[in-house]
Amino acid sequence: MEATFSIVNDVPHGLMRITMAGFFAPADIARFVAARDRELAALRTRPNEHLTLVDIRAMDIQAAQSVAAFGQLLADPRTVSRRIAFVIGRSLAAMQIRRAAQGRDSRYFDDIADAEDWLLAAQPLRQTAYRAG
């Protein structure tokens, strides 16, 4: 299945909602990173204070190279979110994201509403938003 993704920002909550599906080749991961970086700047939070909800229920099992690339992406100190919640299905892809997100303040959910509740229970954002550039 072809790689697809969408990113929708919830600016008042400092929350980035990401949906990913399919099989991600290196070029797809590069497209995703570019889009994520644009949306992160548009979110206007201070560095590392945003929240992230990632729905990967429709994501295929990934190649080891892609899992490693996602692991590096999740560990990048320049873009690490304050909290990250993954909505996962019951597949090997779920095990892969757990491996890629190892060491992060992350949780795994079957339901988007539960994931969002956990994210928004984090301490509130500071009143002054960071503006890039």
Side-chain angles (χ1 to χ4, degrees), residues 9-68:
N9 285 337
D10 176 348
V11 175
H13 291 110
L15 173 62
M16 182 179 286
R17 289 183 178 91
I18 300 171
T19 302
M20 304 176 85
F23 182 83
F24 282 73
D28 300 312
I29 295 171
R31 278 187 315 109
F32 170 75
V33 169
R36 189 272 327 254
D37 290 350
R38 280 191 307 275
E39 293 301 324
L40 186 55
L43 194 56
R44 301 186 333 247
T45 59
R46 293 179 187 270
N48 307 110
E49 288 194 9
H50 65 287
L51 304 169
T52 307
L53 189 154
V54 185
D55 181 350
I56 59 167
R57 290 176 292 180
M59 200 166 195
D60 294 339
I61 296 170
Q62 303 297 307
Q65 177 185 12
S66 296
V67 174

Side-chain angles (χ1 to χ4, degrees), residues 15-16 18 51-56 81 83-88 104-109 111-112 114-119:
L15 173 62
M16 182 179 286
I18 300 171
L51 304 169
T52 307
L53 189 154
V54 185
D55 181 350
I56 59 167
S81 56
R83 276 186 148 177
I84 187 166
F86 295 96
V87 181
I88 57 176
R104 292 289 316 276
D105 183 13
S106 58
R107 297 265 171 94
Y108 305 90
F109 300 88
D111 180 75
I112 288 179
D114 291 342
E116 190 170 306
D117 287 347
W118 177 76
L119 286 169

